Amino acid sequence: DESQGFGLISLVDAVYVKGKSKGKVLVWDNVELTNEQEWEETFVLDSCDTHTSVTLTYFDKENTSTSCTTCLINRLNLTVEKGSQTLYPNGKSGPDTKNNAQRIR
């Protein structure tokens, strides 16, 4: 139904199109980290920003263990600090130790 928008995909809202999309996309690719190394990025958002989404995805080496409970070889933690509050991904109240795709809204 075109009036209600069911099934109608807006390309500008679905993916980032330079010069046309309402959102802003920042991408880091091939960032190399050593053991126990931390990487931090700081952004200051305008108070008028109504929706912010932060996503971390990465490829991980295959775990050869058949009985692992936390099967990630390289574990990266995504957090967002909002004032004095620390936000964690995927609706959790602490770091997500099982997923290599993490999102905070």
Side-chain angles (χ1 to χ4, degrees), residues 11-78:
L11 183 61
V12 172
D13 294 327
V15 298
Y16 178 72
V17 180
K18 186 175 183 177
K20 302 219 184 256
S21 295
K22 300 171 194 167
K24 187 172 190 176
V25 175
L26 301 171
V27 176
W28 286 266
D29 190 20
N30 294 322
V31 175
E32 293 185 25
L33 300 175
T34 59
N35 283 341
E36 304 299 322
Q37 181 181 354
E38 290 188 15
W39 179 48
E40 182 177 315
E41 291 293 333
T42 301
F43 302 96
V44 177
L45 304 177
D46 294 335
S47 61
C48 63
D49 290 338
T50 57
H51 179 78
T52 300
S53 179
V54 180
T55 304
L56 168 69
T57 60
Y58 61 96
F59 292 103
D60 198 27
K61 182 180 176 180
E62 182 179 342
N63 192 327
T64 57
S65 172
T66 57
S67 62
C68 61
T69 56
T70 302
C71 297
L72 293 175
I73 300 295
N74 302 295
R75 192 183 80 180
L76 302 180
N77 293 324
L78 174 66

Side-chain angles (χ1 to χ4, degrees), residues 83-100:
S84 62
Q85 181 182 18
T86 300
L87 305 173
Y88 295 96
N90 304 336
K92 297 187 176 286
S93 59
D96 186 337
T97 60
K98 295 188 177 192
N99 294 297
N100 63 335

